[in-house]
Amino acid sequence: MNHVMPPPCGDVPTPDLVPTAVPPVPPVSATPGRPPELLRPAGAPGITLRRRSPAQSLALNAAVRADLDHLRPWLEWAAEAPTPARTAELTEAGTAAWDAGTDFIYLAGLDAEPGRVIGSFGLHRRIGPGALEIGYWVGTDHVGRGIATTAVRALTGAAFALPGVHRVEIHCDPANTASAAVARRLGFRLDREVDAPVRAPGETGRKQIWIQECRPAP
């Protein structure tokens, strides 16, 4: 695992907890402040992360339907092909969540192919105070190009720039080695592995919790 110096922040990180089973899911609370609506990850020229919007709904639906076989093993919501109406509904819900400060979803696109969606990345306020979870997927045609790694690095920086956030987590099944490799390359440490419900065909009933914490400001 890479030993990367964590970024500074203004608050002392919360101490690690090592439960032996999945802890209760805390109520979702709002994050003060908002991340940028547009991110251009360093090291990935021509790639843009843009706040998900209704204008991208059809392109997102096409991307998901084209990559269902790729997504289905790890994502519960990929069990069936979504209709355009369902994607539009979820996009509207995502817009409301962003405005409320509970969920920040970005769509990845290529400058060379305007309007196309090649992946999705999110900051999720669902793991308790002072922390955000990063979720992500990249379409089959673009895996292995470092897009996920550079995008997650950008999102980690955006998360730590928000007031009160001093921990970022990545959760993945042990069998999802590609997802775990992103966390490892970026210096996230494997904090623990816990029991988890099986909700997608590729899952094993276990979940890895990868953590990065920011350093107290001098």
Side-chain angles (χ1 to χ4, degrees):
M1 178 183 299
N2 295 333
H3 296 282
V4 178
M5 181 66 71
C9 68
D11 300 317
V12 177
T14 53
D16 299 336
L17 301 176
V18 188
T20 56
V22 177
V25 177
V28 175
S29 57
T31 298
R34 301 292 181 269
E37 297 190 4
L38 180 68
L39 294 171
R40 288 191 174 274
I47 302 293
T48 300
L49 299 180
R50 193 180 304 274
R51 175 183 171 175
R52 183 174 65 178
S53 71
Q56 299 166 297
S57 181
L58 286 178
L60 174 59
N61 180 263
V64 170
R65 294 175 70 93
D67 273 310
L68 277 179
D69 289 342
H70 173 59
L71 302 174
R72 190 174 288 119
W74 312 115
L75 298 171
E76 179 184 9
W77 53 260
E80 297 181 1
T83 63
R86 178 58 176 162
T87 301
E89 179 184 347
L90 292 174
T91 299
E92 292 288 352
T95 298
W98 183 298
D99 292 339
T102 59
D103 222 29
F104 308 106
I105 306 297
Y106 294 84
L107 298 181
L110 299 169
D111 292 349
E113 299 181 48
R116 184 182 180 190
V117 171
I118 64 168
S120 180
F121 297 80
L123 293 170
H124 308 289
R125 189 66 185 260
R126 58 193 180 197
I127 54 175
L132 288 168
E133 180 188 344
I134 296 181
Y136 46 92
W137 62 265
V138 175
T140 310
D141 292 345
H142 300 279
V143 297
R145 295 172 52 185
I147 293 171
T149 300
T150 54
V152 171
R153 181 186 292 116
L155 283 184
T156 301
F160 284 136
L162 293 171
V165 174
H166 43 255
R167 189 175 78 256
V168 175
E169 298 185 4
I170 293 173
H171 297 187
C172 66
D173 193 280
N176 189 349
T177 55
S179 187
V182 171
R184 187 178 295 108
R185 279 194 294 269
L186 292 175
F188 283 72
R189 62 180 174 81
L190 179 57
D191 184 70
R192 61 195 185 273
E193 187 173 304
V194 299
D195 294 330
V198 174
R199 295 193 173 98
E203 293 180 337
T204 64
R206 300 287 289 171
K207 178 168 64 174
Q208 293 179 339
I209 313 295
W210 296 82
I211 290 179
Q212 188 172 135
E213 295 166 312
C214 59
R215 294 179 287 113

